[in-house]
Structure formats: C-alpha cells, structure tokens
C-alpha cells in the first residue's frame, strides 16, 4: 500500500461507521456481491460465475444474478439453458422466484436478457422495481453474486450500490486500470456504502497483479480518500478460454485448475472480509508463499 497507516485508519473508521449505519443492521452478514469493471471484456462474467460456484460448492446457498441487461451471457458460460430471463420479470410481470434457472452445484441463476435494447436502457421506474426485487430476493440466500456489466451507466451503478461488497475487475492494461479507477471514483462520489475491492485478472505474474492492485488502491486513497482492498487475482490462463468454449466453468468442473484455486482465494477474501495481503506475506508468509509457488508451478 502507498500509505499503510492511512489505509488502516480509514478501515477502522469504516468499521465504526458500518456499526452505526442502521441500513446494515437488517443483515447479519455481507450477502450481495456485485462484480463490475470500468472497461468491458476484462473477465467479470467468468469471475462472477466461478465465484458464485465456489461459494455454492462451499455449501452456501448462492444465486448468480446476471444484471448485464441487454448483453447477459452467464447461462452460456454456465452451460445451462434458461427458460426465463430478467426480460420476463420486467416485461411479463413474472416474480423473480419464478425465473430462477438451476445451474451446476445447485447454483441458482437469474439469467440476463440478451439483445433486448429496452432492457439495456431501463427507465428509472423499471430500474427501481428490479433493484427492489433483487433486494428482497437476496435476503433468502447466503450470497447473491451480481454480474453488473461494464462501465458507469445508471444500470451498473444501481446494482453496485445495492451491494455489500463491490469487486472491481481490472487487467494490467492501462486502459482497464484507468477505467477501473473511473468506476471507483464514481462509486466513491456517490457515497457507495459497500466495501470496494479490486480483482486483477489476466496477470502474467504475482508482482504484476500486486502492482495493479496497489496502484488502484494508492490512487483511491490519495485522490478520493477511498479505501480499496485487494481481493485477489487470476493469471492469464488458456484454461479460462477453454472453459468458455466448452461451457464448462472451471470452479465446478476443473476444481484443481489454477484458475479455480485463484477463485477460491477470492472467495476466502469475500467470506472473511479480508484482503489477500492480509493472508499473505506479512502475516503468514510461508503459507502464502507456498500457495503462490503452487500457482506458479501448477499447470
Ligand atoms: N484469466 C483469463 N485468462 C485468459 N483469458 C481470459 C481470462 N479471463 C477472461 N478471459 C477471456 O476474456 C473473455 C471475456 O471474459 P468475460 O466474458 O468474463 O468478460 P466480461 O468482463 O464479462 O465482458 P463484458 O464486459 O463483455 O461483459 C473470456 O471469454 C475469455 O476468453
Ligand atoms: Mg460479461
């Protein structure tokens, strides 16, 4: 971190604020996790689906909500064919409970609608209706993972603001990092109450992943006074592309893969509310080193 003391101070302040914030008291644990990014195509849908599968595999009742309205593709990645989508909720008045598709490992999936222009540009009224439906529904699950879509449109921000944790996905490309910072900036300006964490995707090395996370975290503290944690990373890995082509998500069907292990670490951070560096070099160095070495040497 650029300014570790400042980060720790802000974290302590945030914990105190969380304890005092009444709108958190209805929920005893963090359940809604929104996955967003500034730039498109950085791996959100794969990370959201596989994180949801990992949580489901751990025995947590989990639902993936594909809120990438207009261009949702989670069910394609999950290898299932939905009977209903969010389009049926918004246009045909179906209840959210009626449109769940059963995914692998008992994962519930609310399928996004693909190619529906009016869903990509929801009216305020529909957006509020959908967001309320999701809030009520989320309380019935241990975790709801929302694939929020890319960018900073009102659709995306509405879902990210509903969340308890926002995972902002960035790759090491400068354009992706700049857009990730743009998303963090808007969330911060809108006083998003969620914990914001970065997930670095497609890294060539741990060092590269850490650099991306530290730069985003440092800039956020320096310019926004916003703490941003590091929830983990995935390597550039052809196994991810293969799982997309096979419609066979790695956290369900290739659990020993390096990508699945990386997702498992992200799930640890999400579940325990800690940063990857908190379970890392400084605290339990050797254990973490062992894990990093395994990631390097494996596959
Ligand atoms: N760690 C990785 N290693 C290699 N390829 C990856 C990795 N992560 C994602 N990809 C590739 O990037 C593609 C896009 O991923 P994904 O659909 O998850 O991105 P997205 O952020 O959801 O995109 P969009 O913004 O269009 O919704 C995948 O189909 C895969 O081919
Ligand atoms: Mg996507």
């Amino acid at each position: 971190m650029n300014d570790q003391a400042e980060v720790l101070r802000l974290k302590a302040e945030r914990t105190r604020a969380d304890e005092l914030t009444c709108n958190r008291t209805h929920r005893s644990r963090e359940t809604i996790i929104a996955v967003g990014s500034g730039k498109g195509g950085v791996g959100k849908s794969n990370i959201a689906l596989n994180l949801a599968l990992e949580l489901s595999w751990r025995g947590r009742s989990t639902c993936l909500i594909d809120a990438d309205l207009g261009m949702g593709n989670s069910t394609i990645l999950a290898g299932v064919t939905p009977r209903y989508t969010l389009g049926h909720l918004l246009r045909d008045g179906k209840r959210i409970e009626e449109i769940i598709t059963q995914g692998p490992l008992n994962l519930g999936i609310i399928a996004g609608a693909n190619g529906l222009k009016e869903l990509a540009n929801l009216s305020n009224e529909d957006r509020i209706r959908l967001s309320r439906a999701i809030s009520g529904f989320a309380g019935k699950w241990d975790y709801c993972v929302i694939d929020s879509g890319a960018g900073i449109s009102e659709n995306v921000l509405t879902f990210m603001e509903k969340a308890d944790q926002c995972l902002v996905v960035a790759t090491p490309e400068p354009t992706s990092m700049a857009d990730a910072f743009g998303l963090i900036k808007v969330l911060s300006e809108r006083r998003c109450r969620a914990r914001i964490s970065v997930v670095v995707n497609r890294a060539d090395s741990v060092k590269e992943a850490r650099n991306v996370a530290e730069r985003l975290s440092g800039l956020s503290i320096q310019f926004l006074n916003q703490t941003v944690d590091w929830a983990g990373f995935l390597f550039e890995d052809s196994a991810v592309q293969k799982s997309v082509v096979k419609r066979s998500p790695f956290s369900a069907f290739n659990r020993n893969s390096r990508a699945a292990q990386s997702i498992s670490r992200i799930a640890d951070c999400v579940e325990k509310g800690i940063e990857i560096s908190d379970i890392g070099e400084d605290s339990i160095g050797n254990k973490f080193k062992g894990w990093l070495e395994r990631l390097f040497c494996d596959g």
Side-chain angles (χ1 to χ4, degrees):
M1 297 296 146
N2 271 10
D3 188 343
Q4 191 70 18
E6 180 66 357
V7 172
L8 290 174
R9 188 186 65 72
L10 282 165
K11 270 187 186 170
E13 259 179 25
R14 188 180 54 194
T15 307
R16 276 197 300 279
D18 285 352
E19 283 163 8
L20 294 171
T21 306
C22 53
N23 65 5
R24 289 182 75 96
T25 57
H26 69 285
R27 216 179 276 135
S28 58
R29 51 191 294 189
E30 296 186 333
T31 56
I32 304 185
I33 301 155
V35 182
S37 69
K39 192 172 181 296
V42 296
K44 286 177 301 303
S45 297
N46 276 282
I47 289 170
L49 169 64
N50 285 286
L51 175 61
L53 284 166
E54 171 65 28
L55 293 167
S56 212
W57 185 82
R58 293 177 180 205
R60 317 277 184 258
S61 66
T62 307
C63 188
L64 174 72
I65 301 179
D66 189 346
D68 189 350
L69 301 171
M71 281 296 168
N73 53 21
S74 295
T75 48
I76 299 177
L77 296 176
V80 295
T81 308
R83 181 157 180 216
Y84 298 114
T85 70
L86 277 174
H88 293 95
L89 180 139
L90 288 161
R91 295 195 311 191
D92 305 335
K94 288 250 175 238
R95 287 183 305 115
I96 193 161
E97 291 79 5
E98 293 176 285
I99 62 165
I100 303 177
T101 301
Q102 178 77 48
L105 301 180
N106 225 15
L107 176 71
I109 303 179
I110 300 291
N114 200 313
L116 293 182
K117 200 162 155 247
E118 68 268 33
L119 288 192
N121 304 299
L122 283 186
S123 66
N124 278 344
E125 197 184 304
D126 277 345
R127 196 176 305 113
I128 290 167
R129 195 155 65 87
L130 178 55
S131 144
R132 284 204 181 127
I134 290 176
S135 283
F137 179 69
K140 297 176 182 147
W141 302 80
D142 289 335
Y143 289 100
C144 273
V145 180
I146 304 181
D147 182 351
S148 306
I152 52 170
S153 70
E154 206 51 46
N155 279 359
V156 171
L157 294 173
T158 300
F159 299 119
M160 297 208 82
E161 284 173 343
K162 269 272 162 267
D164 301 295
Q165 299 196 38
C166 292
L167 300 184
V168 176
V169 180
T171 68
E173 288 180 0
T175 43
S176 163
M177 286 171 66
D179 292 355
F181 182 69
L183 173 59
I184 294 167
K185 180 167 179 285
V186 178
L187 288 170
S188 171
E189 281 166 0
R190 289 170 57 132
R191 304 200 179 286
C192 171
R193 69 186 177 87
R195 172 192 188 209
I196 301 176
S197 309
V198 173
V199 173
V200 181
N201 192 21
R202 310 192 76 154
D204 282 331
S205 65
V206 181
K207 192 170 166 217
E208 184 180 52
R210 186 187 293 115
N211 278 345
V212 173
E214 285 186 354
R215 282 183 69 187
L216 285 169
S217 163
L219 287 170
S220 301
I221 279 290
Q222 193 180 348
F223 294 106
L224 310 172
N225 205 19
Q226 169 74 52
T227 51
V228 171
D229 295 336
W230 181 24
F233 65 94
L234 281 88
F235 288 115
E236 171 70 34
D237 187 348
S238 61
V240 176
Q241 283 143 352
K242 283 183 193 145
S243 81
V244 173
V245 173
K246 279 166 57 189
R247 299 184 65 197
S248 171
F250 49 83
S251 290
F253 299 112
N254 191 5
R255 290 194 49 80
N256 288 329
S257 63
R258 199 167 66 160
Q261 288 174 36
S262 296
I263 289 285
S264 171
R265 290 287 156 180
I266 295 169
D268 285 346
C269 291
V270 162
E271 285 222 278
K272 294 173 192 154
I274 51 176
E275 282 196 78
I276 196 159
S277 41
D278 291 344
I279 52 170
E281 300 112 309
D282 298 334
S283 45
I284 41 170
N286 287 336
K287 196 171 161 196
F288 185 64
K289 246 194 204 146
W291 167 63
L292 291 178
E293 276 154 9
R294 276 201 303 282
L295 282 180
F296 267 136
C297 303
D298 210 35

